[in-house]
Amino acid sequence: MHQTLIDLLENNAEHAEQFQSRFDDVQDSQQPSVVTVCCSDSRVLQDHIWGNDEPGQLFSCGNIGNRVVQRSDSGSEISADVLYPIVHTGTETAVVVGHTGCGAVTAAYDDLTEGISEPDAISHCLELLEPHLEPALELLPDDVDRAGAINRLVEYNVDRQLEFLEESADVPDTVSLVGVVYDFQDVYSGRRGEVHVVNVDGETSVDRLRAAHPEIESRVERLWEY
């Protein structure tokens, strides 16, 4: 057995010791206040980035490209893992979490600009992203480099995923929709590992967001107001 798995199991033993009583209130049901949609990148520690260690607080979803979109026989619709807590557990806030240097956004950008070859399953995921990203290519600044283009597309992708949620008849108007970018590459002005708010209920203007939400003013930041 690989040593890493052995180490993980040993760590879990410590986890189980610490969590003996933390499931008392959620053993039979859950009512998470927030559903987060993160990229499944190994550098994005979905619960840890919020300092969360309470079972039942966050409903965490992960996939490449932090997508809320899935495809079914009836067309594109909200992914079931995102929709479930909104419909069945009373969750009233959805947070789409992009991250700097996203590999899925990078692959989608490369495929749209040059064409790349991927296994069918990965291509399927990119095909869910690309229609939402393609319109942004003509909006990118002329002087932006490749890394800068990708990180601007990360924000754009977060905006489009939130837009898809907002336009869905399955998501009640009472659900708050928030878009953030997790930065571990020194792209934004904060520290490594900080989350930067880029969109709240469709609003993307930094000035208006800071005025409307002074309690998080220092965390509101965008690379690109297109």
Side-chain angles (χ1 to χ4, degrees), residues 31-35 56-59 90-94:
Q31 291 182 307
S33 58
V34 178
V35 53
Q57 183 174 0
L58 299 180
F59 195 102
T91 301
E92 295 184 341
T93 300

Side-chain angles (χ1 to χ4, degrees), residues 105-153:
V105 172
T106 300
Y109 173 76
D110 289 342
D111 195 34
L112 288 168
T113 55
E114 301 174 6
I116 60 175
S117 177
E118 293 283 0
D120 289 345
I122 296 177
S123 293
H124 172 74
C125 291
L126 295 181
E127 288 166 4
L128 294 174
L129 279 179
E130 289 172 5
H132 301 279
L133 294 179
E134 188 168 14
L137 298 183
E138 295 183 0
L139 303 176
L140 288 167
D142 293 334
D143 60 347
V144 71
D145 62 13
R146 183 171 181 273
I150 288 165
N151 283 320
R152 282 159 177 78
L153 290 177

